[in-house]
Amino acid sequence: MAHYQCPEWFRDAKFGIYMHWGINSIPGYDGHYGRWMYWYQKPDSALHKYPILGYRAHALKVYQHHLKIYGHPSKFGYKDFIPMWKADKFNADSLAAFYKEVGAKFIGVMAVHRCTKWRTHYQKSERWIYFRP
């Protein structure tokens, strides 16, 4: 990394778009769904001093949404979205054309936002991390 140089085209790009695309697209409720769906209570107030550690006020809403739509995370966890993610409507050409039309100079696809090694006490195995459409 000491010798890395940022490409000139990237340095000059003023507008780029990053998108979430992965298992979290199935519930489509929040970009951090895989994390927040397990927050069932407000954490200790000490954590509020350090928001970078993770807690956000809307976390409880994601948990409540999950309960209402899918049931308790111990019965339907994040891993259970995997077989539902087919990516059958993905159209790279259409997406690239749209991004170009709105002026984006680059795009970044974030496919592993809490999807790879995210595990809770409800999900004892990491075998599910190898699934993809």
Side-chain angles (χ1 to χ4, degrees):
M1 290 300 292
H3 302 290
Y4 176 79
Q5 291 185 346
C6 181
E8 193 169 325
W9 68 265
F10 187 79
R11 188 178 13 252
D12 294 338
K14 303 296 184 219
F15 175 56
I17 298 174
Y18 289 95
M19 69 175 204
H20 293 200
W21 188 67
I23 299 166
N24 61 325
S25 301
I26 299 301
Y29 186 79
D30 182 90
H32 297 264
Y33 196 93
R35 183 179 199 174
W36 304 135
M37 65 180 273
Y38 295 100
W39 285 79
Y40 61 91
Q41 64 186 21
K42 245 182 165 172
D44 182 297
S45 62
L47 189 57
H48 292 261
K49 295 179 192 175
Y50 309 100
I52 195 71
L53 296 178
Y55 179 74
R56 301 291 187 277
H58 73 276
L60 295 175
K61 291 180 182 173
V62 176
Y63 174 77
Q64 291 162 354
H65 169 82
H66 189 82
L67 280 179
K68 181 180 176 184
I69 304 300
Y70 302 102
H72 194 271
S74 65
K75 304 290 183 206
F76 191 99
Y78 196 58
K79 67 177 178 14
D80 296 304
F81 288 119
I82 295 169
M84 300 167 74
W85 188 47
K86 304 291 184 197
D88 54 338
K89 295 180 183 175
F90 180 73
N91 184 326
D93 292 333
S94 176
L95 192 59
F98 171 73
Y99 284 163
K100 185 176 182 179
E101 181 182 325
V102 299
K105 301 299 181 193
F106 67 91
I107 63 170
V109 180
M110 185 174 294
V112 289
H113 203 4
R114 301 283 176 217
C115 294
T116 54
K117 295 273 184 184
W118 187 250
R119 185 171 64 158
T120 72
H121 62 278
Y122 295 124
Q123 294 160 307
K124 307 297 184 202
S125 170
E126 290 183 1
R127 290 178 294 152
W128 62 278
I129 67 173
Y130 301 106
F131 291 91
R132 55 191 165 275

